[in-house]
Amino acid sequence: LQLDRTETAVNNLNPAFSKKFIVDYHFEEVQKLKFALFDQDKSSMQLYEHDFLGEFSCTLGMIVSSKKITRTLLLGNGKPAGKGMITIAAQELSDNRVITLSMAGRKLDKKDLFGKSDPFLEFYKPGDDGKWMLVHRTEVIKYTLDPVWKPFSVPLVSLCDGDIEKLIKVMCYDYDSDGGHDFIGEFQTSVARMCEAQDAFPLELECINPKKQKKKKNYKNSGIIIVKSCKITRDFSFLDYILGGCQLMFTVGIDFTASNGNPRDPSSLHYINPMGTNEYLSAIWAVGQIIQDYDSDKMFPALGFGAQLPPDWKVSHEFAINFNPTNPFCSGVEGIVQAYSACLPHIRFYGPTNFSPIVNHVARFAAQATQQEFATQYFILLIITDGVISDMDETRHAVVQASKLPMSIIIVGVGNADFAAMEFLDGDSRVLRSYTGEEAARDIVQFVPFRDFRNAPKETLAKAVLAELPQQVVQYFKHQNLPP
């Protein structure tokens, strides 16, 4: 399916194309893209009439995770098409700026017979129909002609459609409980103008009542509205963090407890069928192939729990499935799949099903990353399990502690067990508490039973599992005040 094509750069071997391609971005999907270059020979719109110069395929995730990539152009057979290279850069289009205004008034007109006014402000922008559209209303300050309103924030897009030169209208009223608010005065300004205000140098704007201005000869104004400060900040999005170089550090934890059944027996959840797959492998593939685009070195620790290990057959609840404790990393999702298949014949399934050691293992690394000055690392732990958690108290405690760290936990339940305890860890319905009564700082667990997706397309599992992740990442970095 052809999405779009660029303009033609005439007689040029190093073209920079001005045409931008606009693509909707979905973190939880693999979005495949192909860029093909042609030499225009005729004025035909048919591609086969032009000479093919090479192509490059990748995912949108690969582009945004590196912000800019340069790769060799390939022929259809995967061999380089001469010396040609292609460079692709990405930027996010949404305007995520927020304006924060701190306003006050001085010597406003007195509108009430017995006492002072109760002033409030309304902000308007021009609508598409040319009429003024209400954008924001401040609170009412009672009994004063010198009000100081609470600072407020609105998206810049709401206030002026993101155009800081656009005129906006501010109207000042005296509040009446019967809804017949008395008009005090108005003025027009722009965000650019208001941004001239600084703490030591407030911006003063005359509040004018046009009727009074017409009637009275020596009318000056109906008071002064003061912009004490006006700041524009950015409300960072998930893509801002990713484009800023944030890496998603992915770890897999695999359940090797006896309840899974003997892996040589076709009824076992760890039995690898003639197609070369099982529910554990399907879950690793679905989640891993999306996350791996966001990790530059693509080296992922893969840990097992609940098994006896050679040579002394001690039970371990956090062992490297490649049997290399000092270097538990596997290369890409393929590496995890290979290490998993290779370790199955060498371990003895045992128990109990303890989650906390693996949660704490990843939390130790996430805790080191809390020293970061920018949003550079976020940890994702995927636990695949067949059953009921044995160390529920310790696990709840571990999750509550992890909720303060740059970390999220995805649990995929395989098989047909009762997953009530997992639903409990997934704080969608209520806040998770530790056995000490401490509440989780935020909801970091997403639980999904694999059986709901057995007959669905592979993509749907990844969507369900990863849909909450971008907002968890944003929520953490925002709360810590860490910029991209």
Side-chain angles (χ1 to χ4, degrees), residues 159-407:
L159 185 62
C160 59
D161 301 324
D163 174 0
I164 61 169
E165 300 297 341
K166 189 171 258 186
L167 274 184
I168 51 181
K169 182 158 85 163
V170 183
M171 305 187 73
C172 183
Y173 289 94
D174 165 38
Y175 175 85
D176 277 332
S177 52
D178 63 6
H181 310 309
D182 294 324
F183 173 63
I184 294 175
E186 65 180 17
F187 60 89
Q188 291 188 15
T189 183
S190 67
V191 170
R193 178 87 206 280
M194 290 194 292
C195 279
E196 294 167 13
Q198 267 140 20
D199 296 336
F201 306 100
L203 178 69
E204 304 206 340
L205 297 153
E206 290 191 283
C207 199
I208 303 293
N209 181 334
K211 277 190 185 150
K212 278 191 170 181
Q213 202 177 25
K214 275 207 181 86
K215 274 188 195 153
K216 292 186 178 170
K217 275 231 165 67
N218 56 356
Y219 173 81
K220 274 180 65 181
N221 57 44
S222 295
I224 302 283
I225 299 291
I226 304 158
V227 183
K228 295 201 306 185
S229 79
C230 170
K231 290 193 178 62
I232 295 178
T233 48
R234 289 185 63 187
D235 207 358
F236 296 114
S237 67
F238 176 69
L239 261 183
D240 283 317
Y241 293 113
I242 296 298
L243 289 166
C246 182
Q247 300 283 314
L248 301 184
M249 318 296 279
F250 180 49
T251 302
V252 180
I254 300 172
D255 179 342
F256 292 111
T257 52
S259 51
N260 282 279
N262 179 338
R264 287 182 285 289
D265 182 336
S267 67
S268 163
L269 291 164
H270 281 292
Y271 173 75
I272 298 179
N273 64 26
M275 308 278 290
T277 173
N278 61 30
E279 292 192 358
Y280 278 89
L281 286 168
S282 300
I284 291 169
W285 270 118
V287 177
Q289 67 167 341
I290 289 184
I291 292 179
Q292 70 176 356
D293 278 346
Y294 297 88
D295 185 328
S296 55
D297 67 1
K298 309 213 181 329
M299 296 300 288
F300 308 118
L303 308 170
F305 60 95
Q308 295 173 312
L309 305 189
D312 52 5
W313 305 108
K314 280 206 176 78
V315 176
S316 171
H317 293 293
E318 50 169 318
F319 64 91
I321 63 171
N322 65 3
F323 298 123
N324 185 346
T326 55
N327 185 7
F329 294 91
C330 303
S331 174
V333 181
E334 292 90 348
I336 299 175
V337 168
Q338 281 159 359
Y340 165 78
S341 311
C343 88
L344 283 173
H346 301 290
I347 58 177
R348 290 186 192 151
F349 288 20
Y350 206 71
T353 308
N354 289 353
F355 270 32
S356 59
I358 278 195
V359 173
N360 288 328
H361 176 101
V362 176
R364 282 196 294 277
F365 290 95
Q368 289 171 351
T370 55
Q371 304 303 313
Q372 54 194 359
E373 290 172 39
F374 295 98
T376 48
Q377 288 186 323
Y378 191 92
F379 290 77
I380 294 153
L381 168 60
L382 168 65
I383 300 178
I384 315 171
T385 179
D386 80 317
V388 180
I389 303 176
S390 318
D391 63 340
M392 193 60 186
D393 277 354
E394 289 84 350
T395 297
R396 270 167 54 198
H397 189 70
V399 169
V400 167
Q401 298 312 312
S403 71
K404 306 168 193 168
L405 303 172
M407 171 171 173

